[in-house]
Amino acid sequence: SPRNAQRLWAATRSGLFRSIDGGASWTILPAIQGARVSTLAILPESHHLLAVQRTNNISGPFRTMLSTDLGQ
């Protein structure tokens, strides 16, 4: 996160993971579990927003998800 170096996200083929302790431990975000996350963006003008583009297969279709609570 631009405002908190301890808060990290990892986009993977298994979903989106979040760490709040600098990467010592990771939690999968349930709303995106099992999806191949292709793109992840944190919007710097509003640190409370997280945008995720994901797909369940390589060729699409692609979906965009927007969280206003940092993926809670």
Side-chain angles (χ1 to χ4, degrees), residues 5-9 18-27:
Q6 293 296 304
R7 184 170 286 163
L8 306 170
W9 286 273
R18 179 184 60 219
S19 174
I20 59 172
D21 57 12
S25 62
W26 293 89
T27 303

Side-chain angles (χ1 to χ4, degrees), residues 1-2 7 10 13 19 27 29-30 34-35 37 39 41 49 51 55 58 64-65 68-69 71-72:
S1 168
R7 184 170 286 163
R13 295 180 69 156
S19 174
T27 303
L29 301 182
V37 179
T39 306
L49 297 177
T55 181
I58 293 172
T64 300
M65 296 181 67
T68 58
D69 61 3
Q72 301 293 323

Side-chain angles (χ1 to χ4, degrees), residues 9-46:
W9 286 273
T12 74
R13 295 180 69 156
S14 300
L16 181 63
F17 291 80
R18 179 184 60 219
S19 174
I20 59 172
D21 57 12
S25 62
W26 293 89
T27 303
I28 192 163
L29 301 182
I32 309 172
Q33 187 171 356
R36 292 181 181 185
V37 179
S38 59
T39 306
L40 173 64
I42 300 170
L43 306 176
E45 63 274 5
S46 177

